[in-house]
Every structure is written in structure tokens, then in C-alpha cells.
Amino acid sequence: MHHFQNSGSNDLGSGESIVGLLARQASARVLSIWKDRLSEYLLASDSRRHTWHAWLAVHGTATHDVTETYRFLTLAKSRQILAAAFGSCPAGMISALGKFGPFARSKHAYLALHKVLAADGPLARHVHQSAKMNDDDLASLATVATMSESNRVVRALLKCKMSAQAMVELLWVISRMASRYDERHLVQCISEGCQPANILANLYGLVPFPAPPFEQAGALIPITTADQLRKAGQLLRNCLRNPGEELAAAVASVLSGQRYFYSWEAENPALLAFARCGSAGWILAEHSGPANSRVADAVIEQVEDMLADIPNVFIGNAGSGMLRWICAK
């Protein structure tokens, strides 16, 4: 371990440069508080230095009495300093600060860490068990730290080992669904999905589809559930056959009222997607046969004939014109 001496100008200059590296935005305040005692700051443990950094981040430049500030920061226990900064010192916060590494973090990182640990529960335990945690992850976790989702749901998401941002997004979706669906169904969606997009597709699969824009017309049959859409994907061997990004996006577009899928159950099976065209109605936006093959023009003509009496549906040139470009994006 290197010991920093402050007896000579060269050593002091070296110490000041290292303080700038460690304290970052708080370096000027550190230099003014520790003055000729920089070795005390430099040789402190990471957790102790971060305790000081956290206090300085919260109090900003409001350190008028430098001598009293020095006495408090060097003589008070870390728990007392953190309580003075945040109003409380949650269990494990000092050890969590020790995982921050040698360099000062942003004020938002310290505030986020305190919020997550103060809320306790699975997210706090996740932080305790993590070898390291970056600022963005902490900020993401802090946004859901006080959500009322069950510990069982959070633990199920944590087992999937996804990014903090993806978990936060899924928790937001689940928070909007929790009052309508049993906890065990939500947990099942998570455990069976594992990957974020798969979980989202499973969650959306619980939500009933809105009424189709038009009822069955001959061999053109509306797909009225997420499970039916997935099975249609399996039958046609396309990208909707398994839970994932494509299925989640397709189901989300139906639930938001922007798209509706129909199965063409005739000699040449196909999947057709109709997109909402503002208040005018619906247009044929996409169509594909087995393994995403091209749908024959004759099939499109049959579809157009069957829908000829439905004024709020437009086929046009098989979904490749201006309306598709504008409305089906």
C-alpha cells in the first residue's frame, strides 16, 4: 500500500491529483476539508470514502464551517454520517458502498442506492448480493423500489438474470395487470418465458383481444386470442410461432387497437394483418403464406371479393401502397 506524505510540495501536488481522480466532482470540497491531512482521505477504505462522498453529494456546497465538517466526517461513525445525509441508514448500505470501487459516484447513484435499500425486499437483497452495480442500474431499480408488486413476482424476474432496465419495464407492465390477474399466472408467465421478450409475450397473452373490425367472411377468420395467433404462426411456420419479440409486438399492436390478424383457411392458407387507418377504417397491411412465402394474387382477389360489402376495409393493391406505408409503420 502506498502512503501519501504531505510534507513537500511535490507530494502535495501528487496527492491533489489523486484526490481529483478519486473524488471527481467533489474534489474541491475534499481538498478544502482535509487540507493538509489528505493522507487520511486517501488511505480510507472505499466504503468510508463513499460515505463521505455521499454526504458531500447530498449537502452540496453547504459546508460553511470547514473545521466542523472535517471533525464530523472523520470522527462520526459511517452510519451516523449516512443518516445525516439521507435521514436513515438502511441495513447493508455501508457494505454496499464498499462495492462502488475507488471513485466517487454521482449524487443520483447514492440517492438511488439509499432508496432501494430503504425499501428492503428482493431488490435490496439483489443489490447486497451483486458484486458491483453501475449508476444506471441503480437508477432503474430505484424507480420501482416502492412499487407494491409481490415479492414472489420480483424474485421470479430476478431469477431470469435480465438487465435492470428490462426488469423495470416488465415490472411496470405487471403493475398495470396485477389487479386483474392472479399472482400465480403472472409468475408462470415469467418462469415459462425467462427472456424479457418471451415474458412480455406471455403477459400480453393473458389479456383478451378487442372485438375484430369485422366478423368472419368466408375462409377469412379473425384471430381473437394471443394463443390463436401463436398457433397460426406454428401452422404457417413463421416468426409468430414462439413467444418472443415478434409475437409480443404483434399482440401489443392488437391490444392497442392498431392491428388485427385474420387467418385465411382455404386451399392456400395464409396470415393477413389489417392495420387501422385513422378513423377511416382498416387496410390490408401484411400477408404471408407458409414460411413467410408470398401469397398468390388470386387469394388476395378472393379476400377482396369477400370484403367488398364492408366499406371500412380497403384492400387496394394488396397492401403495398401509400396507406400501408403511412398507417402500418
Side-chain angles (χ1 to χ4, degrees):
M1 179 180 291
H2 296 286
H3 295 272
F4 298 96
Q5 303 294 327
N6 290 311
S7 57
S9 59
N10 290 337
D11 289 333
L12 181 58
S14 175
E16 288 180 352
S17 64
I18 296 174
V19 168
L21 182 66
L22 294 176
R24 294 181 174 174
Q25 65 271 19
S27 60
R29 279 163 286 164
V30 168
L31 289 171
S32 68
I33 293 169
W34 273 267
K35 294 181 181 177
D36 58 346
R37 302 183 182 91
L38 288 181
S39 59
E40 293 182 12
Y41 170 83
L42 295 171
L43 296 177
S45 66
D46 286 347
S47 62
R48 184 65 171 175
R49 268 201 314 275
H50 278 297
T51 298
W52 295 333
H53 293 158
W55 188 91
L56 290 169
V58 172
H59 286 273
T61 58
T63 53
H64 303 298
D65 189 334
V66 173
T67 301
E68 183 56 34
T69 298
Y70 167 78
R71 287 177 56 83
F72 173 67
L73 293 180
T74 55
L75 296 179
K77 294 181 178 180
S78 292
R79 179 172 292 278
Q80 293 174 298
I81 297 172
L82 293 172
F86 302 102
S88 66
C89 178
M93 185 164 183
I94 297 171
S95 61
L97 287 172
K99 299 176 183 179
F100 268 12
F103 308 112
R105 298 288 190 93
S106 68
K107 176 181 178 179
H108 297 300
Y110 294 117
L111 291 172
L113 176 65
H114 178 268
K115 186 174 182 179
V116 172
L117 297 184
D120 203 7
L123 291 181
R125 289 191 287 276
H126 172 64
V127 170
H128 291 315
Q129 294 166 4
S130 299
K132 58 183 179 179
M133 188 71 65
N134 64 46
D135 292 9
D136 291 340
D137 287 348
L138 282 171
S140 294
L141 295 179
T143 63
V144 294
T146 56
M147 273 190 178
S148 59
E149 297 333 299
S150 74
N151 288 345
R152 189 179 171 198
V153 166
V154 178
R155 285 196 299 268
L157 285 170
L158 287 170
K159 287 180 181 178
C160 296
K161 300 187 184 303
M162 65 187 69
S163 71
Q165 182 59 48
M167 182 170 66
V168 166
E169 291 177 358
L170 287 171
L171 276 172
W172 179 80
V173 172
I174 291 170
S175 72
R176 315 306 298 171
M177 301 175 65
S179 62
R180 291 173 289 159
Y181 299 98
D182 189 89
E183 178 191 74
R184 63 188 177 87
H185 291 140
L186 299 174
V187 172
Q188 185 177 5
C189 288
I190 297 168
S191 59
E192 291 181 353
C194 291
Q195 298 300 316
N198 299 4
I199 295 171
L200 188 60
N202 289 343
L203 290 170
Y204 283 161
L206 297 176
V207 184
F209 277 12
F214 56 91
E215 297 301 327
Q216 178 176 345
L220 192 61
I221 301 172
I223 294 176
T224 57
T225 69
D227 190 54
Q228 286 180 12
L229 184 58
R230 182 179 57 80
K231 288 179 178 177
Q234 291 175 340
L235 180 65
L236 295 173
R237 307 186 306 280
N238 63 29
C239 56
L240 302 180
R241 64 183 180 272
N242 294 312
E245 290 183 10
E246 295 291 342
L247 181 60
V251 175
S253 69
V254 175
L255 296 178
S256 64
Q258 298 304 308
R259 188 177 300 193
Y260 218 94
F261 290 87
Y262 285 75
S263 175
W264 176 255
E265 299 186 5
E267 183 179 352
N268 299 299
L271 184 67
L272 287 74
F274 291 82
R276 183 183 290 278
C277 185
S279 59
W282 297 77
I283 62 167
L284 177 60
E286 296 178 69
H287 48 81
S288 62
N292 289 322
S293 61
R294 182 179 179 276
V295 177
D297 292 342
V299 172
I300 301 301
E301 291 172 4
Q302 286 181 274
V303 171
E304 188 169 18
D305 290 341
M306 288 182 177
L307 301 179
D309 295 330
I310 303 178
N312 69 328
V313 179
F314 180 73
I315 302 301
N317 54 352
S320 60
M322 176 192 69
L323 290 180
R324 177 189 180 279
W325 186 81
I326 292 175
C327 301
K329 289 181 114 180

